[in-house]
Amino acid sequence: MRHKRSTPNRSNRVADQIQRDVAELIRDLKDPRIGMLTINSVEVTPDYAHAKVFFSLLIGNPQECEEGLNEAAGYIRNGLFKRLQIHTVPTLHFHFDRTTERAAEMSALINRAVASQAKDEAKDADKGADERGENAADSKGEGA
């Protein structure tokens, strides 16, 4: 007997749908700990039993927001039962995603390094111009 083959990229499509639906369901939450957030990505286990939901935060405390979301995970999962057309709706685990913060920190470091390098190059150029000016003055003085 042939086994039923899974649809290619099904877990990716399920994860994308969960991401969209969770983003909509979070808008209905009244918890003051949950600030303005963005759902960055969702990772679903192969058996669809668990899903890691990664979010970034615009306003608020990341730890408090994560606690609030994990406490509301049952409510959000219940909303997913009504929206998703799959047999097993995963248990949700929310995690704060620091990728955006790290990217901003790296960008600031790069900008600082570029500014420092430009300043050093400007100093070297000024030093080179001063040396060339002194040599020109020396040659004028020697020729007179």
Side-chain angles (χ1 to χ4, degrees), residues 75-104:
Y75 170 80
I76 297 169
R77 184 174 185 234
N78 189 30
L80 287 176
F81 269 113
K82 298 173 185 173
R83 293 171 176 242
L84 294 177
Q85 302 296 319
I86 60 175
H87 185 264
T88 304
V89 175
T91 302
L92 303 174
H93 307 280
F94 290 91
H95 300 282
F96 180 65
D97 188 6
R98 290 201 39 174
T99 304
T100 308
E101 289 179 0
R102 288 187 193 134

Side-chain angles (χ1 to χ4, degrees), residues 36-121:
M36 292 179 61
L37 60 92
T38 302
I39 304 298
N40 293 346
S41 65
V42 175
E43 294 177 0
V44 182
T45 58
D47 62 353
Y48 301 108
H50 299 277
K52 288 183 181 179
V53 181
F54 296 95
F55 69 94
S56 61
L57 197 58
L58 219 55
I59 298 172
N61 183 338
Q63 289 79 21
E64 288 180 3
C65 186
E66 186 172 332
E67 289 172 11
L69 287 170
N70 282 315
E71 288 177 14
Y75 170 80
I76 297 169
R77 184 174 185 234
N78 189 30
L80 287 176
F81 269 113
K82 298 173 185 173
R83 293 171 176 242
L84 294 177
Q85 302 296 319
I86 60 175
H87 185 264
T88 304
V89 175
T91 302
L92 303 174
H93 307 280
F94 290 91
H95 300 282
F96 180 65
D97 188 6
R98 290 201 39 174
T99 304
T100 308
E101 289 179 0
R102 288 187 193 134
E105 290 170 2
M106 292 300 287
S107 180
L109 285 172
I110 291 169
N111 289 341
R112 221 178 304 145
V114 167
S116 174
Q117 184 178 10
K119 190 187 297 182
D120 290 345
E121 288 176 359

Side-chain angles (χ1 to χ4, degrees), residues 9-21 42-45 48 51 80 84-86 88-90:
N9 298 323
R10 182 169 189 255
S11 62
N12 291 340
R13 288 186 288 123
V14 169
D16 289 343
Q17 187 63 44
I18 289 172
Q19 181 177 351
R20 286 190 293 274
D21 290 342
V42 175
E43 294 177 0
V44 182
T45 58
Y48 301 108
L80 287 176
L84 294 177
Q85 302 296 319
I86 60 175
T88 304
V89 175

